[in-house]
Amino acid sequence: GIEELKVVIQILEPKRLKIVCEDLKKPLAMILEEEENRWFRKDEVETLAFKDVFEIEIPFEKISVKHEQDINLFIEILRDSTLIERAPSIGFIRIHIPTVEFEKIMWL
């Protein structure tokens, strides 16, 4: 069941972080930062939901990302600590963060 599932968003760049949702029934995910090959809790995100789809809102400042930077990441789904799915299966997803004016420009 859903109780055994965990979602991990692995951010590779611009800074090595993990966003870990250990209980899909609760709207809480931990942001972990890697320092000297150890993971430390940096912050948390409470803007997530799961029913048929996993959704999460991650404020840029919580993951040290600025406008016009790229984020490289991949997503893992684990069941009882065993990897059952990875997206993409190899490599990573690159997301370009637009300029501050992007939304204003799009609505003109």
Side-chain angles (χ1 to χ4, degrees), residues 4-43:
E4 302 93 30
L5 295 180
K6 175 165 71 171
V7 175
V8 180
I9 301 169
Q10 299 266 6
I11 299 175
L12 305 172
E13 289 182 13
K15 187 173 194 175
R16 186 73 177 99
L17 299 168
K18 285 184 192 180
I19 300 168
V20 180
C21 181
E22 297 213 0
D23 184 348
L24 293 176
K25 292 182 178 179
K26 295 181 183 173
L28 179 67
M30 295 177 294
I31 300 174
L32 306 174
E33 184 172 7
E34 187 180 38
E35 289 181 20
E36 299 178 11
N37 296 321
R38 295 185 58 205
W39 291 96
F40 297 93
R41 188 181 188 135
K42 177 183 180 197
D43 208 334

Side-chain angles (χ1 to χ4, degrees), residues 4-84:
E4 302 93 30
L5 295 180
K6 175 165 71 171
V7 175
V8 180
I9 301 169
Q10 299 266 6
I11 299 175
L12 305 172
E13 289 182 13
K15 187 173 194 175
R16 186 73 177 99
L17 299 168
K18 285 184 192 180
I19 300 168
V20 180
C21 181
E22 297 213 0
D23 184 348
L24 293 176
K25 292 182 178 179
K26 295 181 183 173
L28 179 67
M30 295 177 294
I31 300 174
L32 306 174
E33 184 172 7
E34 187 180 38
E35 289 181 20
E36 299 178 11
N37 296 321
R38 295 185 58 205
W39 291 96
F40 297 93
R41 188 181 188 135
K42 177 183 180 197
D43 208 334
E44 56 187 40
V45 175
E46 296 176 341
T47 48
L48 60 98
F50 177 77
K51 186 163 182 162
D52 297 324
V53 175
F54 178 76
E55 298 178 63
I56 186 167
E57 177 186 353
I58 306 165
F60 295 148
E61 60 273 6
K62 288 196 176 205
I63 56 170
S64 305
V65 174
K66 296 178 179 75
H67 289 280
E68 300 191 60
Q69 280 188 316
D70 288 338
I71 302 174
N72 296 333
L73 62 87
F74 61 93
I75 302 164
E76 299 173 315
I77 300 173
L78 297 99
R79 176 177 283 131
D80 295 324
S81 300
T82 302
L83 181 65
I84 60 169

